[in-house]
Amino acid sequence: MARPEQVLLLEPQHELRFRGPFTDVVTTTLKLANPTDRNVCFKVKTTAPRRYCVRPNSGVIDAGTSINVSVMLQPFDYDPNEKSKHKFMVQSLLAPPDMTDTEGVWKDAKPEDLMDSKLRCVFEMPAENEKTHEMESNKISASLSKSESSTLSMKSMASSLDDGEVKKIMEECKRLQTEVQRLREENKQIRQEDDGLRMRKSTVMSAPHSSPAMRMKEEGLSSRVIALIVLFFVVGVIVGKLAL
């Protein structure tokens, strides 16, 4: 008689993949979901029990809930030419409504009541390019750590300066600022003197050209004054004769 179909939903469904290197414990997760309206008893079995640690390896999944099973592969010497023959089996059983003893339910179960799903184990090693990428990442991390340590050492050196050395540095900065300000003032004064020399030189050069105009203006004024005096004299003589 054929066994009933598995009511639990497995994720992954067919394979448990373990990714190396296998020098340490490698863990993968198997999710068991119960979509039914009844509680389900389960057991997780393997063909190589000494090579794996399964937690939990049995229990009860309530209706409409799920559980994660951790499958831990123990360290071993990996041989890429050797194919894995390890397999896992998830066995399940619908729990009776009045269940009080889980182990008793398994003992009393009939073969036609048992449901099972099988998964094979797959071992994977990182590809060469991934190894190279990991090595480069490790180098970058090491260089960053080195730069951070050098920065910290510089900060520690700065913090090790005593107050006397800091005071000397501050005084030297102030002295340099004062020297820069003095040089700026001297430069400004030299520019002002240079501008004054250029103005005096331009005045001296323009003086000969303006003298004839001034002389002509003065001569014109003196001739007008003489003409007015003569005019007043003539008018005075004429008025005097008319009065006689």
Side-chain angles (χ1 to χ4, degrees):
M1 181 176 179
R3 291 188 177 185
E5 187 178 355
Q6 176 69 270
V7 295
L8 294 179
L9 301 179
L10 279 64
E11 183 181 346
Q13 295 181 352
H14 307 293
E15 294 178 344
L16 289 177
R17 292 185 173 272
F18 298 88
R19 187 172 180 81
F22 302 102
T23 56
D24 200 354
V25 176
V26 180
T27 303
T28 189
T29 301
L30 172 63
K31 182 179 180 180
L32 305 178
N34 178 11
T36 68
D37 56 356
R38 293 180 57 179
N39 295 346
V40 176
C41 302
F42 76 93
K43 285 186 177 181
V44 180
K45 300 179 180 181
T46 177
T47 57
R50 294 184 179 181
R51 301 286 294 273
Y52 299 90
C53 181
V54 182
R55 293 290 183 275
N57 60 0
S58 64
V60 179
I61 305 175
D62 294 336
T65 63
S66 62
I67 189 172
N68 289 329
V69 177
S70 296
V71 182
M72 292 164 278
L73 173 64
Q74 303 305 304
F76 71 102
D77 294 330
Y78 174 71
D79 185 0
N81 297 322
E82 181 181 355
K83 293 184 179 180
S84 173
K85 298 179 181 180
H86 301 167
K87 293 182 180 180
F88 275 81
M89 181 175 67
V90 177
Q91 218 170 29
S92 62
L93 172 68
L94 291 175
D98 55 349
M99 182 183 66
T100 57
D101 181 14
T102 306
E103 291 299 326
V105 171
W106 283 105
K107 288 180 181 179
D108 297 337
K110 298 177 181 180
E112 59 267 19
D113 295 334
L114 298 177
M115 298 167 283
D116 58 62
S117 299
K118 295 180 180 179
L119 302 92
R120 68 187 187 96
C121 297
V122 178
F123 299 152
E124 295 178 340
M125 286 295 289
E128 291 298 328
N129 55 353
E130 293 181 1
K131 289 182 180 179
T132 304
H133 179 69
E134 290 178 359
M135 293 177 61
E136 292 177 353
S137 300
N138 293 333
K139 288 181 181 179
I140 293 173
S141 300
S143 62
L144 289 175
S145 301
K146 186 177 180 180
S147 62
E148 289 177 358
S149 62
S150 62
T151 303
L152 291 174
S153 63
M154 291 178 66
K155 289 183 178 179
S156 61
M157 289 176 62
S159 62
S160 63
L161 293 175
D162 55 15
D163 295 338
E165 293 176 344
V166 174
K167 186 176 180 181
K168 289 180 181 179
I169 294 174
M170 296 298 293
E171 290 177 353
E172 182 67 16
C173 290
K174 289 182 180 179
R175 188 187 67 79
L176 292 175
Q177 290 177 353
T178 304
E179 184 69 17
V180 171
Q181 185 66 26
R182 185 183 64 81
L183 291 174
R184 287 179 178 174
E185 293 294 334
E186 290 182 359
N187 188 28
K188 183 178 180 180
Q189 185 177 359
I190 291 173
R191 287 183 178 179
Q192 290 178 351
E193 292 177 356
D194 190 24
D195 292 339
L197 290 173
R198 285 199 295 268
M199 290 178 65
R200 286 195 294 271
K201 185 182 291 185
S202 62
T203 302
V204 171
M205 292 179 65
S206 60
H209 298 286
S210 60
S211 296
M214 292 294 292
R215 287 195 296 269
M216 291 177 64
K217 188 174 181 180
E218 292 175 357
E219 290 174 359
L221 288 174
S222 60
S223 61
R224 289 179 182 178
V225 171
I226 294 172
L228 287 174
I229 292 171
V230 173
L231 180 61
F232 286 136
F233 177 79
V234 174
V235 171
V237 172
I238 295 173
V239 171
K241 288 182 178 182
L242 290 175
L244 293 175

